[in-house]
Amino acid sequence: MENAAATPLVQEKTGTSKRPKRRRSIQVTNVALGILLPVATVVIWEIAAGMGKLNPILLPAPSKIVEEFVSLTSSGELIRHLGISAWRALLGFLLGGGLGLAAGIWVGFSYKTERLLDPLLQMLRTLPHLAIAPLFILWFGFGETSKVLLIAKGTFFPLYVNTFLGIRSVDGKLFEVGRVLQFSKWHMISKLVVPAAMPNILLGVRLSVGVAWLVLVVAEMMGSSSGVGFLINDARSFSLTSVVFVGIIVFAVVGKLTDSLVKLLERRLLRWQDSYKGDGKL
């Protein structure tokens, strides 16, 4: 009887101990799969360049791009331009994202405000950045103001739309609970509605961060004397393709890192969420 009773406990402990190992193996497999295609592409690219199959002006070898990256980094030029670009992206995101969050909450709570503002905002949302960049330069000059405002314009709408949708998808029973508890408008927003809409809001943050880097390239290439976008545009003028690739890769890596930071924040803030995470079988 004792052995029969102990067997389920042993099995349960064994199964529990195997779960972290299985999870780690899945994570390692996912990482390996994620780097397999990029590594294979770089290897084939390097071999083709070494065999003379590629035009070095149009498509330099990865080793040449690495050499250019090391040179720009050791001279401090790349770090200086990246710091300027990151500061512009941060300012534009804080301005545009903050206004988008506030507008999304305001319009989400008020049907009259939605009828008044949403049609105009949706029309402005469809304007291409390249189309309005010359206007911003004309109005605000070639200084930092035009670049930050152009980035703010791009980052405003993802947060606005997702915040609005998040609030409108909140369960109506939460509002009834707030009324029963006699919550003020501020407590209704901060204690009930915003936490319930947080998944949509964080999605808007991720999209806004990505858009900030995209619009930054447009802003710096249209009229700038500093930043990674300027570095790319200046290298293009002199056919320095390896420098162009360095700038593109820097934008890709920094964009991925900022997206990963937002995803980490998302996991921490949404621990309470009980949703399907995928089983790793596909």
Side-chain angles (χ1 to χ4, degrees):
M1 293 292 292
E2 292 180 358
N3 292 336
T7 300
L9 293 175
V10 173
Q11 291 176 346
E12 183 178 347
K13 290 181 180 179
T14 304
T16 304
S17 63
K18 286 182 178 179
R19 285 174 192 165
K21 294 181 180 178
R22 183 173 178 272
R23 191 178 297 115
R24 280 194 294 270
S25 65
I26 291 174
Q27 290 174 349
V28 170
T29 303
N30 289 338
V31 171
L33 289 173
I35 66 175
L36 178 62
L37 184 59
V39 169
T41 302
V42 171
V43 170
I44 295 171
W45 182 1
E46 181 69 33
I47 292 172
M51 296 173 63
K53 301 294 184 181
L54 302 176
N55 187 337
I57 297 177
L58 299 179
L59 197 61
S63 57
K64 178 64 177 176
I65 297 173
V66 172
E67 290 176 10
E68 197 68 56
F69 174 79
V70 172
S71 175
L72 289 171
T73 304
S74 59
S75 67
E77 185 178 4
L78 181 61
I79 303 300
R80 180 175 65 85
H81 286 297
L82 180 58
I84 294 171
S85 294
W87 180 245
R88 289 168 178 163
L90 177 62
L91 288 180
F93 169 74
L94 292 177
L95 177 60
L99 291 175
L101 178 64
I105 293 174
W106 186 24
V107 175
F109 266 97
S110 173
Y111 179 77
K112 291 182 179 179
T113 307
E114 179 191 359
R115 295 296 93 195
L116 177 65
L117 291 181
D118 191 64
L120 175 62
L121 292 177
Q122 294 299 335
M123 183 175 63
L124 294 175
R125 184 172 66 90
T126 61
L127 292 177
H129 303 305
L130 283 172
I132 64 171
L135 277 178
F136 274 56
I137 293 173
L138 185 64
W139 292 340
F140 305 107
F142 286 95
E144 296 299 306
T145 303
S146 61
K147 298 175 183 61
V148 171
L149 289 179
L150 190 63
I151 296 168
K153 183 264 180 189
T155 58
F156 174 90
F157 294 102
L159 253 171
Y160 163 72
V161 171
N162 282 278
T163 301
F164 170 74
L165 292 176
I167 290 175
R168 289 299 173 90
S169 63
V170 170
D171 192 342
K173 294 179 181 178
L174 286 179
F175 291 92
E176 296 177 8
V177 171
R179 294 189 190 98
V180 170
L181 297 177
Q182 296 182 342
F183 276 7
S184 64
K185 197 77 170 179
W186 168 248
H187 281 94
M188 183 83 79
I189 295 172
S190 60
K191 301 295 184 182
L192 292 178
V193 178
V194 170
M198 191 58 69
N200 287 77
I201 294 174
L202 290 174
L203 174 60
V205 170
R206 286 186 65 186
L207 295 174
S208 291
V209 168
V211 169
W213 289 105
L214 293 175
V215 180
L216 175 68
V217 178
V218 176
E220 291 184 341
M221 293 183 74
M222 288 293 292
S224 180
S225 59
S226 59
V228 179
F230 162 77
L231 189 68
I232 293 174
N233 199 38
D234 188 58
R236 177 194 59 82
S237 302
F238 294 98
S239 299
L240 300 175
T241 316
S242 57
V243 179
V244 174
F245 271 99
V246 169
I248 292 172
I249 292 171
V250 166
F251 271 130
V253 171
V254 174
K256 174 58 180 173
L257 288 176
T258 52
D259 183 71
S260 298
L261 287 175
V262 178
K263 285 179 69 176
L264 180 62
L265 176 66
E266 190 178 46
R267 289 195 199 100
R268 291 183 178 275
L269 293 178
L270 300 181
R271 286 177 179 174
W272 53 269
Q273 197 176 31
D274 185 17
S275 59
Y276 179 65
K277 306 297 182 184
D279 54 12
K281 293 181 179 180
L282 297 178

